[in-house]
Amino acid sequence: MSVQSVLEEIRERPGSGEVIPIIDPATEEQITEFTDGGAEAVDAAVARAKATADSGVWKDLAASKKAKILWRIADLIDENAAVLAGLESLNAGIPEFQAQTIVEVGSEWFRYYAGWCTKLDGIAHDVATTGLTGVESRLHAYSLKEPYGVVGLIFPWNGPVFNYCAKLAPALAAGCSSIVKPAEETPLSALVFDRILAEAGIPDGVVNLVTGYGHTTGAAITAHPDVEKVAFTGSTEVGRAIVHASADSNLNKITLELGGKSPVLIFDDADIDTAIMYAGIGTFVHSGQACVCGSRILVQRSVFDRVVAGLAQFGDSLQLGGPKDEGSMIGPLISKKQLNRVLGFLDDGKSDGVEYVTGGQRLDRPGYFVRPTVVTNVDPATSRLFKEEIFGPVVTVLPFDTEEEAVALANDSTYGLAATVYTKDLGRAHRVAKRLQAGTVSLNCQLVFDHSMPFGGYKQSGWGFESGRAGIETYLQTKFVWAQM
Ligand code: NAD
């Protein structure tokens, strides 16, 4: 399989709706196109998935055999790493060296969850109880962990390989049948995965790819009466629509990994140079299009000017460019729509009188490139730049005087995805970590990740978890069995 063959293959995907162009975000040129799958493609995919779920062909396969197949998928991802990384770069504008890392993390999802296939055990009890009847009985009670039948896996454009693996690996390990829908901007790598799954021995119909728009194809998945669970990663706005769809259809179970506006707190006793470097990477990586990017940096007043200057210098030092451009460190925004959204925020800031210490505009070249932007003089009570998720290379930097004030500013958000603290004071680090309203808190580090650690959001950043034991639990339901002795 090659990048070129995937660009051709996607044109043949089933669909009945609009033709959707796929644009290279680094050049603004169309690279291929495909047809929106729509409700018809979803109905066919769900019928296939339900038939395999009912047959037990995957669910009831011996756990050790499932595990072997997941390991094989991981190995095949590694063997196809060049094509996957090439597509990730071309389609999402991610520099090649980062795309390779993402693919390596992707195969590890399958190795990690392969281990869980054989460990999905319940509990057992011998119980003597009168229950609600008043008659004392001796009972044996046990619980079973059972997969949902058909699950819908819907994810965004900002890391297609990462998101595919993060959802499908636990769904397969749990024994579910899946409908997979990548974002309309970045469906290409999913075609490679389809081949990998077949070669690894996943039975036909267990994983069913559908491609298309969210409001048509995605919405058809979430409203389908045979879809028992939806695992979604994307914006809070669409997350809300998915909750409505569940309420209006079959009350399917939902997990949501949503947006963020993550604070980074830098105290004056921190190793300031290290904090600037990590905060810079944590803010501008992938042009700010990672959900955990630090986008509100709060700095103790005595080191405020130094940190602002350091961040601006760091941002200026990052070479923007297409994945194939020599020395390129960060790529473009994903689409014209996203570019216009980010520029809209920057325009708003200009009329609000904020100060752009660096950046603030797009690059004068083809491609959706926005310069790393550091913003100060922001009113936290009113500024959209401070309050809303921009999902671009834009960071607001605010001063604080006391720990109390820093925590209050950090928690002043409807989001609660991630937060970071830089300080050498161990007591303060743990005290502040406890008070921050976020699903992940990093102390003196940023963008750290491991498959074994549960990841999820507080407040409007999500419901439930991904990764770790908690991640696979979301694809399982628990049944209790009572047996009269
Ligand atoms: P999005 O919400 O617009 O789209 C995400 C997916 O949902 C796409 O596949 C899209 O086609 C689909 N979709 C859109 N409308 C739908 C509908 N009505 N019903 C069903 N599906 C629908 O998000 P995006 O712009 O692709 O991605 C950026 C967002 O994702 C940001 O908000 C970012 O914070 C978030 N994100 C969160 C995490 C996390 O783990 N918390 C990770 C990555 C990205």
Side-chain angles (χ1 to χ4, degrees), residues 69-121:
I69 294 178
L70 264 68
W71 271 94
R72 181 79 187 116
I73 294 172
D75 290 344
L76 287 168
I77 292 174
D78 290 344
E79 283 168 32
N80 288 279
V83 179
L84 284 166
L87 287 167
E88 190 86 346
S89 286
L90 178 68
N91 203 176
I94 296 174
E96 276 178 352
F97 72 94
Q98 275 168 12
Q100 279 158 16
T101 307
I102 291 169
V103 175
E104 282 162 26
V105 173
S107 62
E108 287 304 323
W109 279 109
F110 284 92
R111 291 197 182 90
Y112 175 76
Y113 278 113
W116 275 108
C117 293
T118 50
K119 295 166 193 71
L120 301 176
D121 48 10

Side-chain angles (χ1 to χ4, degrees), residues 200-222:
I202 294 287
D204 264 0
V206 173
V207 179
N208 302 275
L209 176 66
V210 291
T211 41
Y213 283 126
H215 65 279
T216 51
T217 308
I221 298 170
T222 59

